Coordinates of all heavy atoms in Angstrom, one line a residue:
M1 N 0.8 -1.1 0.0 CA 0.0 0.0 0.0 C 0.9 1.2 0.0 O 1.8 1.4 0.8 CB -0.8 0.0 1.3 CG -2.2 0.5 1.0 SD -3.5 0.0 2.2 CE -3.1 0.9 3.6
K2 N 0.7 2.1 -0.9 CA 1.4 3.4 -0.9 C 0.7 4.4 -0.1 O -0.5 4.5 0.1 CB 1.4 3.9 -2.3 CG 2.3 3.2 -3.4 CD 2.4 3.9 -4.5 CE 3.4 3.2 -5.4 NZ 3.6 4.0 -6.7
R3 N 1.6 5.2 0.5 CA 1.2 6.3 1.3 C 1.0 7.6 0.5 O 1.7 7.8 -0.4 CB 2.2 6.7 2.4 CG 2.4 5.6 3.4 CD 3.5 5.9 4.4 NE 2.9 6.9 5.4 CZ 3.6 7.4 6.5 NH1 4.8 7.1 6.6 NH2 3.0 8.3 7.2
K4 N 0.0 8.2 0.8 CA -0.3 9.5 0.0 C 0.7 10.6 0.4 O 1.1 10.7 1.6 CB -1.6 10.0 0.2 CG -2.8 9.3 -0.4 CD -4.1 9.9 -0.1 CE -5.2 9.0 -0.6 NZ -6.5 9.6 -0.4
Q5 N 1.4 11.1 -0.5 CA 2.4 12.2 -0.3 C 1.6 13.5 -0.1 O 0.7 13.8 -0.9 CB 3.3 12.4 -1.4 CG 4.3 11.3 -1.6 CD 5.1 11.1 -0.5 OE1 5.6 12.1 0.3 NE2 5.5 9.9 0.0
P6 N 1.9 14.3 1.0 CA 1.2 15.6 1.0 C 1.5 16.5 -0.1 O 2.6 16.5 -0.6 CB 1.7 16.1 2.4 CG 2.9 15.3 2.7 CD 2.8 14.0 1.9
K7 N 0.5 17.2 -0.5 CA 0.7 18.2 -1.6 C 1.5 19.4 -1.0 O 1.0 19.9 0.0 CB -0.6 18.7 -2.2 CG -1.3 17.6 -2.9 CD -2.6 18.1 -3.4 CE -3.4 17.0 -4.1 NZ -4.7 17.5 -4.6
P8 N 2.6 19.8 -1.6 CA 3.3 20.9 -1.2 C 2.5 22.2 -1.4 O 1.8 22.3 -2.4 CB 4.6 20.9 -2.0 CG 4.3 20.1 -3.1 CD 3.3 19.1 -2.8
F9 N 2.7 23.2 -0.6 CA 2.0 24.4 -0.8 C 2.9 25.5 -0.4 O 3.8 25.3 0.5 CB 0.6 24.6 0.0 CG 0.8 24.6 1.4 CD1 0.7 25.9 2.1 CD2 1.0 23.5 2.2 CE1 0.8 25.9 3.4 CE2 1.1 23.6 3.6 CZ 1.0 24.8 4.2
M10 N 2.7 26.7 -0.9 CA 3.5 27.9 -0.5 C 2.7 28.7 0.5 O 1.6 29.1 0.2 CB 3.9 28.7 -1.7 CG 4.8 28.0 -2.7 SD 6.4 27.6 -2.0 CE 7.1 29.1 -1.8
F11 N 3.3 29.0 1.7 CA 2.5 29.9 2.6 C 2.6 31.2 2.1 O 3.6 31.8 1.7 CB 3.2 29.8 4.0 CG 2.6 30.6 5.0 CD1 1.5 30.4 5.6 CD2 3.2 31.9 5.3 CE1 1.0 31.2 6.5 CE2 2.7 32.8 6.2 CZ 1.5 32.4 6.8
D12 N 1.4 31.8 2.2 CA 1.3 33.3 1.6 C 0.5 34.0 2.8 O -0.7 33.7 3.0 CB 0.6 33.3 0.4 CG 0.6 34.8 -0.2 OD1 1.2 35.7 0.3 OD2 -0.2 35.0 -1.2
E13 N 1.1 35.0 3.4 CA 0.4 35.8 4.4 C -0.9 36.4 4.0 O -1.8 36.5 4.7 CB 1.4 36.8 4.9 CG 0.8 37.5 6.2 CD 1.9 38.6 6.8 OE1 3.0 38.5 6.4 OE2 1.5 39.3 7.6
N14 N -0.9 37.0 2.7 CA -2.0 37.7 2.2 C -3.2 36.6 2.0 O -4.4 37.0 2.3 CB -1.8 38.4 0.9 CG -0.9 39.6 1.2 OD1 -1.0 40.2 2.2 ND2 0.0 40.0 0.3
D15 N -2.8 35.5 1.5 CA -4.0 34.5 1.4 C -4.5 34.0 2.7 O -5.8 34.0 2.8 CB -3.4 33.2 0.6 CG -3.2 33.5 -0.9 OD1 -3.7 34.5 -1.3 OD2 -2.4 32.7 -1.5
L16 N -3.6 33.9 3.7 CA -4.1 33.6 5.0 C -5.0 34.6 5.5 O -6.0 34.4 6.2 CB -2.9 33.3 6.0 CG -3.4 33.0 7.5 CD1 -4.2 31.8 7.5 CD2 -2.0 32.8 8.3
R17 N -4.6 35.8 5.3 CA -5.4 37.0 5.9 C -6.8 37.0 5.3 O -7.8 37.2 6.0 CB -4.7 38.3 5.6 CG -5.4 39.5 6.2 CD -4.7 40.8 5.9 NE -4.6 41.0 4.3 CZ -5.7 41.3 3.7 NH1 -6.9 41.5 4.2 NH2 -5.6 41.6 2.3
K18 N -6.9 36.8 4.0 CA -8.2 36.8 3.3 C -9.0 35.5 3.9 O -10.2 35.6 4.0 CB -8.0 36.6 1.8 CG -7.4 37.8 1.1 CD -7.1 37.7 -0.3 CE -6.4 38.8 -1.0 NZ -6.0 38.6 -2.3
E19 N -8.4 34.4 4.0 CA -9.1 33.2 4.5 C -9.6 33.5 5.9 O -10.7 33.2 6.3 CB -8.2 32.0 4.5 CG -8.8 30.7 4.9 CD -7.8 29.6 4.8 OE1 -7.1 29.4 3.8 OE2 -7.7 28.8 5.9
L20 N -8.7 34.1 6.8 CA -9.1 34.4 8.1 C -10.4 35.4 8.1 O -11.2 35.3 9.0 CB -7.9 35.0 8.9 CG -6.9 34.0 9.3 CD1 -5.7 34.7 9.8 CD2 -7.4 33.2 10.5
L21 N -10.3 36.4 7.2 CA -11.3 37.4 7.2 C -12.7 36.7 6.9 O -13.7 37.1 7.5 CB -10.9 38.5 6.1 CG -11.9 39.6 5.9 CD1 -12.0 40.4 7.3 CD2 -11.3 40.6 4.9
T22 N -12.6 35.8 5.8 CA -13.8 35.0 5.5 C -14.3 34.3 6.6 O -15.5 34.3 7.0 CB -13.5 34.2 4.3 OG1 -13.0 35.0 3.1 CG2 -14.7 33.5 3.8
S23 N -13.5 33.6 7.4 CA -13.8 32.6 8.4 C -14.4 33.5 9.6 O -15.3 33.1 10.2 CB -12.7 31.8 8.8 OG -12.3 31.0 7.9
A24 N -13.7 34.7 9.8 CA -14.1 35.5 10.9 C -15.6 36.1 10.7 O -16.5 36.1 11.6 CB -13.2 36.6 11.2
K25 N -15.8 36.4 9.5 CA -17.2 36.9 9.0 C -18.3 35.8 9.2 O -19.3 36.1 9.6 CB -17.2 37.5 7.8 CG -16.5 38.9 7.6 CD -16.8 39.6 6.4 CE -15.6 39.4 5.4 NZ -15.9 40.0 4.1
A26 N -17.8 34.5 8.9 CA -18.7 33.5 8.9 C -19.1 33.1 10.4 O -20.2 32.6 10.6 CB -18.1 32.2 8.3
V27 N -18.3 33.3 11.4 CA -18.6 33.1 12.7 C -19.2 34.2 13.5 O -19.5 34.2 14.6 CB -17.4 32.5 13.6 CG1 -16.9 31.2 13.0 CG2 -16.3 33.6 13.7
G28 N -19.5 35.3 12.7 CA -20.2 36.4 13.2 C -19.4 37.6 13.8 O -20.0 38.5 14.4
I29 N -18.2 37.7 13.4 CA -17.4 38.8 13.8 C -17.7 40.0 12.9 O -17.6 39.8 11.6 CB -15.9 38.4 13.9 CG1 -15.7 37.3 14.9 CG2 -15.0 39.6 14.2 CD1 -14.3 36.7 14.9
S30 N -17.8 41.2 13.4 CA -18.0 42.3 12.6 C -16.9 42.6 11.5 O -15.7 42.2 11.8 CB -18.3 43.6 13.4 OG -17.1 44.1 13.8
V31 N -17.2 43.2 10.4 CA -16.1 43.4 9.4 C -15.0 44.2 9.8 O -13.8 43.7 9.6 CB -16.8 44.0 8.2 CG1 -15.8 44.2 7.1 CG2 -17.9 43.1 7.6
A32 N -15.2 45.3 10.5 CA -14.2 46.1 11.0 C -13.1 45.3 12.0 O -12.0 45.3 11.8 CB -14.6 47.3 11.7
V33 N -13.8 44.5 12.9 CA -13.0 43.8 13.9 C -12.3 42.6 13.2 O -11.1 42.3 13.4 CB -13.9 43.3 15.0 CG1 -13.1 42.3 15.9 CG2 -14.5 44.5 15.7
A34 N -12.9 42.0 12.2 CA -12.5 40.9 11.4 C -11.2 41.3 10.7 O -10.2 40.5 10.6 CB -13.4 40.3 10.6
E35 N -11.2 42.5 10.1 CA -10.0 43.0 9.4 C -8.9 43.2 10.3 O -7.7 42.7 9.9 CB -10.4 44.3 8.6 CG -11.3 44.1 7.5 CD -11.8 45.4 6.9 OE1 -11.3 46.5 7.4 OE2 -12.4 45.3 5.8
V36 N -9.1 43.7 11.4 CA -7.9 43.8 12.4 C -7.3 42.6 12.9 O -6.1 42.4 12.8 CB -8.4 44.8 13.5 CG1 -7.4 44.9 14.6 CG2 -8.8 46.2 13.1
I37 N -8.2 41.7 13.4 CA -7.7 40.5 13.9 C -7.1 39.5 12.8 O -6.2 38.8 13.1 CB -8.7 39.7 14.8 CG1 -10.0 39.3 14.0 CG2 -9.1 40.7 15.9 CD1 -10.8 38.4 14.9
S38 N -7.7 39.5 11.6 CA -7.1 38.7 10.6 C -5.7 39.1 10.2 O -4.8 38.4 10.0 CB -8.1 38.7 9.4 OG -8.2 40.0 8.7
T39 N -5.4 40.5 10.2 CA -4.2 40.9 9.9 C -3.2 40.6 11.0 O -2.0 40.3 10.7 CB -4.2 42.5 9.7 OG1 -5.2 42.8 8.6 CG2 -2.9 43.1 9.4
R40 N -3.6 40.8 12.3 CA -2.8 40.5 13.4 C -2.4 39.0 13.5 O -1.2 38.6 13.6 CB -3.4 40.9 14.6 CG -3.3 42.4 14.8 CD -3.9 42.7 16.2 NE -4.1 44.2 16.4 CZ -4.7 44.8 17.4 NH1 -5.1 44.1 18.4 NH2 -4.6 46.0 17.5
I41 N -3.3 38.2 13.3 CA -3.1 36.7 13.3 C -2.2 36.3 12.1 O -1.3 35.6 12.4 CB -4.5 35.9 13.2 CG1 -5.3 36.2 14.5 CG2 -4.2 34.4 13.1 CD1 -6.7 35.7 14.4
A42 N -2.5 36.8 11.0 CA -1.7 36.4 9.8 C -0.2 36.8 9.9 O 0.6 36.1 9.6 CB -2.3 37.0 8.4
S43 N 0.0 38.0 10.4 CA 1.4 38.5 10.6 C 2.1 37.7 11.7 O 3.3 37.3 11.5 CB 1.5 39.9 10.8 OG 0.9 40.3 12.2
R44 N 1.5 37.3 12.7 CA 2.1 36.6 13.8 C 2.4 35.1 13.3 O 3.5 34.6 13.6 CB 1.2 36.6 15.1 CG 1.7 35.9 16.2 CD 2.9 36.5 16.8 NE 3.4 35.8 17.9 CZ 4.6 35.4 18.0 NH1 5.5 35.6 17.2 NH2 5.0 34.6 19.1
V45 N 1.4 34.6 12.6 CA 1.7 33.2 12.0 C 2.8 33.2 11.1 O 3.6 32.3 11.0 CB 0.4 32.6 11.5 CG1 0.6 31.4 10.7 CG2 -0.6 32.3 12.6
A46 N 2.9 34.3 10.2 CA 3.9 34.3 9.2 C 5.3 34.5 9.9 O 6.3 33.8 9.4 CB 3.7 35.6 8.4
E47 N 5.4 35.2 11.1 CA 6.6 35.3 11.8 C 7.1 33.8 12.3 O 8.2 33.4 12.3 CB 6.5 36.0 13.1 CG 6.5 37.5 12.9 CD 6.2 38.3 14.2 OE1 6.7 37.8 15.2 OE2 5.8 39.4 14.1
R48 N 6.1 33.1 12.9 CA 6.4 31.7 13.4 C 6.7 30.7 12.3 O 7.6 29.8 12.4 CB 5.2 31.3 14.2 CG 5.0 32.1 15.5 CD 3.9 31.8 16.3 NE 4.1 30.4 17.0 CZ 3.2 29.9 17.7 NH1 1.9 30.5 18.0 NH2 3.4 28.7 18.3
V49 N 6.1 30.9 11.1 CA 6.3 29.9 10.0 C 7.7 30.2 9.3 O 8.3 29.3 8.9 CB 5.1 30.0 9.0 CG1 5.6 29.3 7.7 CG2 3.9 29.4 9.5
S50 N 8.0 31.5 9.4 CA 9.3 31.9 8.7 C 10.6 31.2 9.4 O 11.7 31.1 8.7 CB 9.5 33.4 8.7 OG 9.7 33.9 9.9
K51 N 10.4 30.8 10.7 CA 11.5 30.2 11.5 C 11.6 28.7 11.0 O 12.5 28.1 11.5 CB 11.3 30.3 12.9 CG 11.1 31.8 13.4 CD 10.9 31.9 14.9 CE 10.8 33.4 15.2 NZ 10.4 33.5 16.6
R52 N 10.7 28.2 10.2 CA 10.7 26.7 9.9 C 11.1 26.6 8.4 O 10.8 27.4 7.6 CB 9.4 26.1 10.1 CG 9.1 26.2 11.6 CD 7.7 25.6 11.7 NE 7.2 25.6 13.1 CZ 6.4 24.7 13.7 NH1 5.9 23.8 13.0 NH2 6.2 24.9 15.0
T53 N 11.7 25.5 8.1 CA 12.0 25.2 6.7 C 10.8 24.5 6.0 O 10.6 24.8 4.8 CB 13.2 24.3 6.6 OG1 13.0 23.1 7.3 CG2 14.4 24.9 7.0
A54 N 10.1 23.7 6.7 CA 8.8 23.2 6.3 C 7.8 23.0 7.4 O 8.3 23.0 8.5 CB 9.1 21.8 5.7
I55 N 6.6 23.0 7.0 CA 5.5 23.0 7.9 C 4.3 22.1 7.3 O 4.0 22.3 6.2 CB 5.0 24.3 8.5 CG1 4.0 24.1 9.7 CG2 4.4 25.1 7.4 CD1 3.7 25.4 10.4
A56 N 3.8 21.2 8.2 CA 2.6 20.4 7.8 C 1.4 21.2 7.9 O 1.3 22.2 8.7 CB 2.4 19.2 8.6
M57 N 0.4 20.9 7.1 CA -0.9 21.7 7.1 C -1.5 21.6 8.5 O -2.1 22.7 9.0 CB -1.8 21.3 6.0 CG -3.0 22.1 5.7 SD -2.7 23.8 5.5 CE -2.9 23.7 3.8
N58 N -1.4 20.4 9.2 CA -2.0 20.3 10.5 C -1.3 21.2 11.5 O -2.0 21.9 12.3 CB -2.0 18.9 10.9 CG -3.0 18.0 10.3 OD1 -4.0 18.5 9.7 ND2 -2.7 16.8 10.2
D59 N 0.0 21.3 11.4 CA 0.8 22.2 12.3 C 0.4 23.7 12.0 O 0.3 24.5 12.9 CB 2.2 22.0 12.1 CG 2.7 20.7 12.7 OD1 2.0 20.0 13.5 OD2 3.7 20.1 12.3
L60 N 0.2 24.0 10.8 CA -0.1 25.4 10.4 C -1.5 25.8 10.9 O -1.6 26.8 11.5 CB -0.1 25.6 8.8 CG -0.5 26.9 8.3 CD1 0.5 28.0 8.8 CD2 -0.6 27.0 6.9
N61 N -2.4 24.8 10.8 CA -3.8 25.1 11.4 C -3.7 25.3 12.9 O -4.4 26.0 13.6 CB -4.7 24.0 11.0 CG -5.1 24.1 9.5 OD1 -5.1 25.3 9.0 ND2 -5.5 23.0 8.9
R62 N -2.9 24.4 13.5 CA -2.7 24.5 15.0 C -2.1 25.9 15.4 O -2.6 26.4 16.3 CB -1.8 23.3 15.5 CG -1.7 23.4 17.1 CD -0.7 22.3 17.5 NE 0.6 22.3 16.8 CZ 1.5 23.1 17.0 NH1 1.4 24.0 17.9 NH2 2.8 23.0 16.4
L63 N -1.1 26.4 14.7 CA -0.6 27.7 15.0 C -1.6 28.8 14.8 O -1.7 29.7 15.5 CB 0.6 27.9 14.0 CG 2.0 27.2 14.2 CD1 2.9 27.6 13.2 CD2 2.5 27.5 15.6
I64 N -2.4 28.7 13.7 CA -3.4 29.6 13.4 C -4.4 29.6 14.5 O -4.9 30.7 15.0 CB -4.2 29.4 12.1 CG1 -3.2 29.6 10.9 CG2 -5.3 30.3 11.9 CD1 -3.6 29.1 9.6
A65 N -4.9 28.4 15.0 CA -5.9 28.3 16.1 C -5.3 28.8 17.4 O -6.1 29.5 18.0 CB -6.1 26.9 16.3
E66 N -4.0 28.7 17.7 CA -3.4 29.3 18.9 C -3.5 30.8 18.9 O -3.8 31.4 19.9 CB -1.9 28.8 19.0 CG -1.8 27.4 19.4 CD -0.3 27.0 19.5 OE1 0.6 27.9 19.4 OE2 0.0 25.8 19.5
E67 N -3.2 31.3 17.7 CA -3.2 32.8 17.6 C -4.7 33.4 17.6 O -5.0 34.4 18.2 CB -2.5 33.3 16.4 CG -1.0 33.1 16.4 CD -0.3 33.8 17.6 OE1 -0.8 35.0 17.8 OE2 0.6 33.3 18.2
A68 N -5.5 32.6 16.9 CA -6.9 33.0 16.8 C -7.6 32.9 18.1 O -8.6 33.8 18.5 CB -7.7 32.2 15.8
N69 N -7.2 32.1 19.1 CA -7.9 31.9 20.3 C -7.7 33.1 21.3 O -8.5 33.3 22.1 CB -7.2 30.7 21.1 CG -8.1 30.1 22.2 OD1 -9.4 30.2 22.1 ND2 -7.5 29.7 23.2
K70 N -6.7 33.9 20.9 CA -6.4 35.1 21.6 C -7.6 36.2 21.3 O -7.7 37.1 22.3 CB -5.1 35.8 21.3 CG -3.8 34.9 21.7 CD -2.6 35.5 21.2 CE -1.4 34.6 21.5 NZ -0.1 35.2 20.9
Y71 N -8.2 36.0 20.3 CA -9.2 37.0 19.8 C -10.7 36.5 19.8 O -11.5 37.2 20.1 CB -8.8 37.7 18.4 CG -7.5 38.2 18.4 CD1 -6.3 37.5 17.9 CD2 -7.2 39.4 18.9 CE1 -5.1 38.1 17.8 CE2 -6.0 40.0 18.9 CZ -4.9 39.3 18.4 OH -3.6 39.9 18.4
S72 N -10.8 35.2 19.4 CA -12.0 34.6 19.3 C -12.0 33.2 19.4 O -11.4 32.5 18.6 CB -12.7 35.0 17.9 OG -13.9 34.2 17.7
Q73 N -12.7 32.6 20.4 CA -12.7 31.1 20.6 C -13.4 30.4 19.4 O -13.0 29.3 19.1 CB -13.4 30.8 21.9 CG -12.6 31.1 23.0 CD -13.2 30.7 24.3 OE1 -14.3 30.3 24.4 NE2 -12.4 30.7 25.4
D74 N -14.4 31.1 18.9 CA -15.1 30.5 17.6 C -14.3 30.4 16.4 O -14.3 29.4 15.8 CB -16.4 31.3 17.4 CG -17.4 31.3 18.5 OD1 -17.5 30.4 19.2 OD2 -18.2 32.3 18.6
L75 N -13.5 31.4 16.2 CA -12.6 31.4 15.0 C -11.5 30.3 15.3 O -11.0 29.6 14.4 CB -11.9 32.7 14.8 CG -11.0 32.9 13.6 CD1 -11.7 32.6 12.4 CD2 -10.5 34.4 13.6
A76 N -11.0 30.2 16.5 CA -10.0 29.1 16.8 C -10.6 27.8 16.6 O -9.9 26.9 16.1 CB -9.5 29.4 18.3
Y77 N -11.8 27.6 17.0 CA -12.6 26.3 16.9 C -12.5 25.9 15.3 O -12.3 24.7 15.0 CB -13.9 26.4 17.4 CG -14.7 25.2 17.2 CD1 -14.5 24.1 18.3 CD2 -15.7 25.0 16.3 CE1 -15.2 23.0 18.1 CE2 -16.3 23.8 16.1 CZ -16.1 22.8 17.1 OH -16.8 21.6 17.0
V78 N -12.8 26.9 14.4 CA -12.8 26.6 13.0 C -11.4 26.0 12.6 O -11.4 25.0 11.9 CB -13.1 27.9 12.3 CG1 -12.9 27.7 10.7 CG2 -14.5 28.4 12.5
Y79 N -10.4 26.6 13.1 CA -9.1 26.1 12.6 C -8.6 24.8 13.4 O -7.9 24.0 12.8 CB -8.0 27.2 12.7 CG -8.2 28.1 11.5 CD1 -9.0 29.2 11.6 CD2 -7.6 27.8 10.3 CE1 -9.2 30.1 10.5 CE2 -7.8 28.7 9.2 CZ -8.5 29.8 9.3 OH -8.7 30.6 8.3
Q80 N -9.2 24.6 14.6 CA -8.8 23.4 15.3 C -9.4 22.2 14.7 O -8.9 21.0 14.6 CB -9.3 23.5 16.7 CG -8.4 24.4 17.6 CD -9.0 24.7 18.9 OE1 -10.2 24.4 19.2 NE2 -8.4 25.3 19.9
N81 N -10.6 22.5 14.0 CA -11.3 21.3 13.5 C -11.3 21.3 12.0 O -12.2 20.7 11.3 CB -12.8 21.3 14.0 CG -12.8 21.0 15.5 OD1 -12.4 19.9 15.9 ND2 -13.1 22.0 16.3
R82 N -10.4 22.0 11.4 CA -10.2 22.0 9.9 C -10.0 20.6 9.4 O -9.2 19.9 10.0 CB -9.1 23.0 9.6 CG -8.7 23.2 8.2 CD -9.6 24.1 7.3 NE -10.3 25.2 7.8 CZ -10.1 26.4 7.4 NH1 -9.2 26.6 6.5 NH2 -10.9 27.5 7.7
D83 N -10.6 20.2 8.3 CA -10.5 18.8 7.7 C -11.1 17.8 8.7 O -10.6 16.6 8.5 CB -9.1 18.6 7.3 CG -8.6 19.5 6.2 OD1 -9.5 20.0 5.4 OD2 -7.3 19.8 6.2
K84 N -11.9 18.0 9.5 CA -12.4 17.0 10.3 C -14.0 17.1 10.3 O -14.6 18.2 10.1 CB -12.1 17.2 11.8 CG -10.7 17.1 12.2 CD -10.5 17.3 13.7 CE -8.9 17.3 13.9 NZ -8.6 17.7 15.2
I85 N -14.6 16.0 10.4 CA -16.1 15.9 10.2 C -16.6 16.3 11.7 O -16.2 15.7 12.7 CB -16.6 14.5 9.9 CG1 -16.1 14.2 8.4 CG2 -18.1 14.5 10.0 CD1 -16.4 12.8 8.0
I86 N -17.4 17.3 11.7 CA -17.9 17.8 13.0 C -19.3 17.3 13.2 O -20.2 17.3 12.4 CB -17.9 19.3 13.1 CG1 -16.4 19.8 13.0 CG2 -18.5 19.8 14.5 CD1 -16.3 21.3 12.8

């Protein structure tokens, strides 16, 4: 049996910010607040990711959830359960 190789991806802070903004609006955070926290979370995650040579998608989602938990537990929950059936 062959193991599936994870698809490589390039981390992009702007893409993460846009994704966070969409997710924040989906959990009911106002647009103005969502813009501020998505920018802060994306920049902090970008700092942490830049120290690594490679990162798994699950680890990236965990980092995002840790940072998002400082601002919104609902937004953190979205990233903690990414790719899981809820």
Side-chain angles (χ1 to χ4, degrees):
M1 219 159 74
K2 286 189 174 183
R3 293 179 75 180
K4 290 184 180 179
Q5 291 294 327
K7 294 180 182 178
F9 71 97
M10 295 298 294
F11 176 78
D12 185 11
E13 185 177 346
N14 289 327
D15 288 342
L16 176 59
R17 187 185 56 75
K18 290 175 188 174
E19 185 180 311
L20 283 164
L21 185 60
T22 303
S23 297
K25 287 192 263 182
V27 296
I29 299 172
S30 70
V31 175
V33 174
E35 288 176 355
V36 172
I37 65 173
S38 64
T39 302
R40 288 182 182 174
I41 294 168
S43 65
R44 182 68 180 124
V45 169
E47 282 179 27
R48 293 176 72 179
V49 168
S50 68
K51 296 175 184 175
R52 300 178 179 208
T53 56
I55 187 166
M57 188 58 100
N58 288 338
D59 291 338
L60 179 62
N61 287 333
R62 184 183 49 77
L63 287 175
I64 295 168
E66 286 176 12
E67 292 299 321
N69 197 37
K70 296 175 184 176
Y71 303 101
S72 169
Q73 290 181 348
D74 293 333
L75 184 58
Y77 181 81
V78 169
Y79 283 91
Q80 287 170 347
N81 293 298
R82 182 70 41 115
D83 295 332
K84 295 179 186 173
I85 297 174
I86 299 173

